Amino acid sequence: MRLRHHAVAALGALALVITLPTSASAAEGQFRYTYETDEGYEAVGFLNDPPSGECISLPGADSDALPPAYAPKNLTDATATVFLGADCEGDVYYTLRPGGGASERLKVRSVVFS
């Protein structure tokens, strides 16, 4: 009888583990960048704990009608690949290590974290 209770409990625990949703992986930390507002002011944008493996077009610099963002700082624990093109397109990109940054000469519109 005890064996049956243990087997049922073990099966129930296994079912819970299998059905629990897994959390999406995310880079922990903050990604910062500087961009120019519509009024011509300099502003700082940031992404907190951004998702990994998903392209993110940077708000404030995400279209060709806007100037690209610049001076990205990768303060996350993941590698960030920044692109000059929106939607992580084009062959102009640069990789920032965790904790790394670039000067204002580096222009960006989108980023993906690994």
Side-chain angles (χ1 to χ4, degrees), residues 34-48:
T34 305
Y35 67 99
E36 189 176 308
T37 67
D38 292 337
E39 295 81 23
Y41 296 108
E42 188 173 88
V44 176
F46 55 90
L47 305 170
N48 289 321

Side-chain angles (χ1 to χ4, degrees), residues 45-105:
F46 55 90
L47 305 170
N48 289 321
D49 300 328
S52 296
E54 181 180 313
C55 179
I56 302 168
S57 290
L58 301 175
D62 54 356
S63 79
D64 289 334
L66 301 169
Y70 53 92
K73 304 282 186 266
N74 182 18
L75 305 177
T76 72
D77 62 354
T79 299
T81 303
V82 295
F83 292 81
L84 177 58
D87 302 320
C88 300
E89 293 182 357
D91 54 358
V92 179
Y93 62 90
Y94 188 79
T95 302
L96 296 169
R97 64 178 173 71
S103 74
E104 57 187 47
R105 293 184 319 171

Side-chain angles (χ1 to χ4, degrees), residues 9-31:
L11 284 174
L14 180 63
L16 275 175
V17 169
I18 291 173
T19 59
L20 284 177
T22 58
S23 63
S25 62
E28 291 184 17
Q30 189 176 73
F31 179 82

